[in-house]
Amino acid sequence: MRDHFEIRDHDAAGRIGRLEVPRADVTVETPALLPVVNPNVLTIEPERLESEFGAEMLITNSYIIRSTDRIRDRVVDQGLHEFLGFDGAIMTDSGSFQLAEYGDIDVTTAEIIEFQREIGSDVATPVDVPTPPDADRERAERELATTKEALADAEAADTGEMLVNAPVQGSTYADLREEAGRHAAATDLDVFPVGAMVPLLNSYRYAEVVEAVRAAKRGLGPGAPVHLFGAGHPMMLALAVAAGCDLFDSAAYALMARDGRYLTVSGTEHLEELDYFPCSCPVCADHTPADLRGFDDGETERLLAEHNLHVTFEELRRVKEAIRSGTLLELVDRRARGHPAMLDGYRALLDHAEELERTDSTSKDAFFYTSHEAARRPEVRRHRERLGRLAVPDDLLLTESKAPSNHEYDAVWRVKAPFGPYPPALSETYPLTAEVPERTDGAAQVAAAAGVAALADANPETAITLGHDAWCERALERLPDEIETENLRTLG
């Protein structure tokens, strides 16, 4: 782990951490949201971002400052913190976004890093190349090589106490993202943004966002602070944190407000279509949608932006509490019901349950089974893998019901979907204290059957009988032929 980043709590791949930013002499708690501040258009004053919304860090664009004559000299003379009126940490972008949008910029990494140091940035960014999704592989490899050169130039720069980003690129090629992460982690740089995510985020391609993040994380290793560049919609924060991201930068609060859009944790609404606000933030408590529509454009935009920030910071606090209580994946599950693309993202995350299990806490609040996706969670996998450690008798009854009053088995264990079998001594341990619906679905039954099969595979000499509550055919087909089965419903 890098010595400026300390991880305090874990759940899935999400974590609460402390990022020390020495030049600002502050420590930022992660996950953290960095509101994007356009130095030319202050929708909400940076001082208010800190005092009213709780922002500990923000991000602005050093390339825009450098290229704008009317503010460049003021920022150089005053310093970035005084110019913006912000006491927390400030990260600066380098112009890479402009490079992606317009194809060329007139600055090198060495020049922009020096400029960022000169104006007092706390976290600087080199001029990497954000290769867009679906680019051909040759282009992705070529531009990744250019990004690696930029990281080398950033390493060679005189940065003092200023931290420096090491962007991880690679387009939609998982192996390139992993390679880029491994290369970035081997540098002396400090924070690791997963770049070129905005086109995927804008297209609601959340499954591919998860795949890019997980690939980058495999290369970076567990101790690196990870920034998801361009992400700040409250709907996807829980998913992104559960995938392993620590920092987010949001221009969405202002850009959406400019377009009359109102952010919620389950999607985006248009102000023109709202009769009621489903929120109790200061803006929504004091105004109706009709009120906001009645103001001039500037006031409407400001108030919408304030709401958008309130709901985003509220969701981030909710995510942190979920990490502390061990309920992050339950929160992701709830958010996944808000949009089909979010459900795709959640399912993509569960494709990496083996990776998530390595950092997932082994004891937390009760496991809630609220969807068939929950059958794929790390806790289910962990229980199944540990069945081989248990001492098993020669003749064993596994049952979803109570033990029969008279029997000739050596022992009777319970079966609980989606986990599978367990001895009575484990009944009060996590995750077997799970709350599950009485009407279990096929996914839970299939997962439980996989647990029974794992126990049988680990103990081939044991005679196993399973009493199941009318499991589906898919579940029964998962069982080894030597297991005898009884449908408890037909037995009355």
Side-chain angles (χ1 to χ4, degrees), residues 124-137:
T125 308
V127 183
D128 59 307
V129 184
T131 308
D134 310 315
D136 65 77
R137 188 176 180 92

Side-chain angles (χ1 to χ4, degrees), residues 333 337 343 346-347 350 367 369-377 380 418 437 440-445 447 474:
D333 197 314
R337 309 300 140 185
L343 186 55
Y346 180 35
R347 289 172 175 170
L350 292 174
F367 181 110
Y369 188 92
T370 54
S371 72
H372 72 262
E373 283 81 19
R376 301 172 55 207
R377 281 178 46 177
V380 177
T440 57
D441 57 27
Q445 293 168 4
R474 285 193 303 125

Side-chain angles (χ1 to χ4, degrees), residues 1-2 5-19 28-32 190 192 213-214 217 220-227 237-238 240-248 316 319-324 328 359-360:
M1 185 184 300
R2 282 168 153 77
F5 183 58
E6 178 186 5
I7 297 171
R8 294 293 187 89
D9 293 276
H10 258 120
D11 194 24
R15 59 263 189 107
I16 296 175
R18 292 166 53 86
L19 178 67
V28 175
E29 184 178 81
T30 65
D190 308 291
F192 303 91
V213 169
R214 292 309 308 164
K217 293 276 293 185
L220 289 168
V226 175
H227 182 165
L237 287 178
V241 170
C245 298
D246 306 293
L247 300 171
F248 306 89
L316 200 60
V319 168
K320 289 179 180 180
E321 183 57 33
I323 294 172
R324 282 276 170 85
L328 180 58
T359 53
D360 193 53

